[in-house]
């Protein structure tokens, strides 16, 4: 434990104002304790000390002009965390809460997640405190161009390949890709999540949500159960949530919740069919608020200012399976206790680090099938990897081909978690399994590449 505790303490002392980063470090590093004994060579080469420090962090000014002709200044980030096993890879988040702590926690998680996918991708994350909400398309375009005006010099198809995350979807990727192409004069796979017409992959929009449900189905399979007739709580209503809903419906489950940053809706009859199309049109085209759902579909109830997990707690709603797909730390210890009390036996994290450390402990102590984000939501970046492959070979695969590969990857991620958990004496512990399996590949690569 000594080497690991020293590392955790060092991070806290060196970067005292980065609580999300500390949380991610603690969650991962404590599960790596059994690797210390088996791998003295990692301790000698200071792998544990090196893996928690990003290769480099770029922070830059993003000046742009709004529709009223006023100059705006945002802050841009790219944390290139680790490229031991492949080029840096990871999303860009545009949200007012973005800061260095959040960028570093996401970049750190991405290293282990990308390693689990089986594909050769290192870990990175970036973004800005820019808030796309309420901005015109022209403003979003000017911001994306200003952001890329600096980012372009740090990325490249074999160097660092960004993609979407919160607040960055097809529209933003299009504007950023267009500008990169203009200034670098190269049409290459430098971003993923591109539109189909200019190098994107089928199934990439669906991949994170589908992948999280495939992962949950694998976990359920270990207890010989499936999604049929299960009541499912999903949070968020963006990219990941929308396709998680679609896949749960396809597998026979009933999704009863969605939310955005203003409200939660509960529809006990199930969010399915035409109601899903409504959510997609509402969130992706009109960029409206989820509360509209409850005005349109009468049996649904809307709770303003509450998260899905607050509502489940306060209303005593029974759910079998929870798939958080909004943001970090959305489920705290009390939410977790109510979920368990109300019968929840499976949690698959679509978002990154949605459960606090206390919540994870509650799930694990109560024998809940707990799929951590770096495993359960790995389908998104895995399919980004498949987009990179298609860009490299200059071919496009069919929907079926990409979906089959995604399914195989999610199966493999699931198996890797269980195998590593078993090998290190924590049978059935997906968190430990994911962290150890993700870590070992990166650590061995770092060892082979020397002190760099
Ligand atoms: P989107 O921007 O498409 O959707 C995010 C959703 O979550 C929106 O409904 C948003 O509400 C809600 N949300 C965001 N922040 C908050 C907050 N602070 N409080 C309450 N609700 C909030 O993002 P994605 O669906 O792409 O991402 C969701 C999660 O999944 C994130 O944690 C992301 O890191 C993770 N993820 C995404 C991947 C991807 O491929 N896109 C891959 C792997 C993980 P509102 O509409 O009000 O903003
Ligand atoms: O958190 C994530 O894995 C993502 N936002 C997707 C990253 C990617 O490069 O597709």
């Amino acid at each position: 434990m000594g080497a690991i505790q020293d590392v955790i303490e060092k991070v806290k002392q060196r970067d005292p104002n980065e609580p999300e980063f500390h949380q991610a470090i603690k969650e991962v590093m404590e599960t790596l304790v059994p690797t210390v004994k088996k791998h003295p060579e990692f301790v000698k080469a200071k792998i544990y000390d090196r893996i928690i420090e990003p290769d480099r962090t770029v922070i830059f000014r993003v000046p742009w002009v709004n529709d009223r002709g006023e100059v705006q200044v945002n802050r841009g980030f790219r944390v290139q965390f680790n490229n031991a096993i492949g080029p840096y890879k990871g999303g860009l988040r545009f949200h007012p809460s973005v800061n260095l702590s959040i960028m570093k926690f996401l970049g750190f998680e991405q290293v282990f997640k990308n390693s689990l996918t089986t594909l050769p991708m290192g870990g990175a994350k970036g973004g800005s405190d820019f808030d796309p909400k309420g901005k015109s398309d022209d403003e979003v375009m000017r911001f994306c161009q200003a952001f890329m005006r600096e980012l372009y010099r740090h990325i490249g198809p074999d160097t660092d390949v960004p993609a979407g995350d919160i607040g960055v979807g097809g529209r933003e990727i299009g504007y950023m890709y267009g500008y990169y192409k203009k200034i670098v004069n190269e049409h290459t796979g430098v971003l993923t999540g591109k539109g189909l017409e200019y190098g994107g992959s089928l199934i990439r929009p669906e991949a994170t949500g589908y992948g999280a449900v495939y992962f949950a189905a694998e976990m359920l399979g270990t207890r010989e159960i499936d999604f049929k007739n299960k009541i499912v709580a999903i949070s968020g209503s963006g990219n990941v949530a929308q396709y998680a809903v679609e896949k749960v419906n396809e597998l026979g489950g009933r999704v009863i919740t969605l939310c955005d940053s203003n409200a939660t809706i509960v529809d006990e009859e199930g969010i399915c069919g035409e109601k899903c199309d409504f959510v997609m049109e509402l969130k992706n085209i009109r960029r409206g608020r989820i509360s509209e759902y409850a005005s349109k579909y009468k049996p649904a109830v809307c709770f303003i200012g509450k998260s899905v997990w607050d509502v489940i707690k306060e209303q005593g709603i029974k759910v079998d399976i929870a798939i958080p797909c909004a943001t970090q730390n959305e489920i705290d210890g009390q939410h977790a206790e109510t979920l368990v009390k109300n019968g929840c036996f499976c949690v698959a994290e679509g978002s990154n680090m949605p459960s606090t450390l206390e919540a994870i402990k509650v799930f694990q102590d109560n024998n809940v099938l707990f799929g951590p984000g770096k495993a359960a939501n790995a389908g998104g970046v895995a399919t980004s990897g498949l987009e990179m492959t298609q860009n490299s070979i200059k071919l496009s695969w069919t929907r079926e081909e990409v979906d089959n590969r995604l399914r195989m990857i999610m199966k493999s991620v699931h198996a890797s978690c269980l195998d590593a958990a078993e090998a290190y004496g924590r049978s059935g512990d997906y968190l430990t399994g994911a962290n150890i399996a993700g870590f070992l590949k990166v650590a061995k690569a770092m060892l082979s590449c020397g002190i760099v």
Side-chain angles (χ1 to χ4, degrees), residues 10 53 118 120 131 160 195 241 321 383 424:
K10 196 150 68 182
E53 186 68 11
T118 71
D131 186 358
D160 182 358
I321 298 165
T383 308
Y424 283 81

Side-chain angles (χ1 to χ4, degrees), residues 201-214:
S201 173
L202 287 160
I203 301 286
R204 177 62 189 90
E206 293 88 341
T208 312
Y210 280 14
V213 177
Y214 293 151

Side-chain angles (χ1 to χ4, degrees), residues 55-56 80-88 111 121-123 158-159 442 445-446 449 452:
D55 287 353
R56 76 182 59 74
Q80 296 179 330
F81 220 105
N82 189 301
N83 70 352
I85 65 167
Y88 302 110
V111 173
M121 299 183 292
D158 294 315
T159 303
V442 177
M446 288 173 73
C449 291
V452 289

Side-chain angles (χ1 to χ4, degrees), residues 89-91 110 113 125 161 163-165 192 204 352 377 380-381 384:
K89 179 84 197 87
Q110 200 80 45
K113 184 195 304 189
K125 202 79 184 191
V161 182
D165 193 79
T192 59
R204 177 62 189 90
N352 284 306
N377 72 38
V381 72
S384 278

Side-chain angles (χ1 to χ4, degrees), residues 136-168:
S136 69
D137 280 353
D138 281 350
E139 288 179 320
V140 170
M141 182 177 73
R142 285 197 295 275
F143 174 80
C144 289
Q145 293 179 340
F147 185 79
M148 191 50 90
R149 199 137 58 227
E150 173 61 31
L151 186 69
Y152 86 93
R153 68 183 88 248
H154 307 291
I155 62 177
D158 294 315
T159 303
D160 182 358
V161 182
D165 193 79
I166 292 178
V168 178

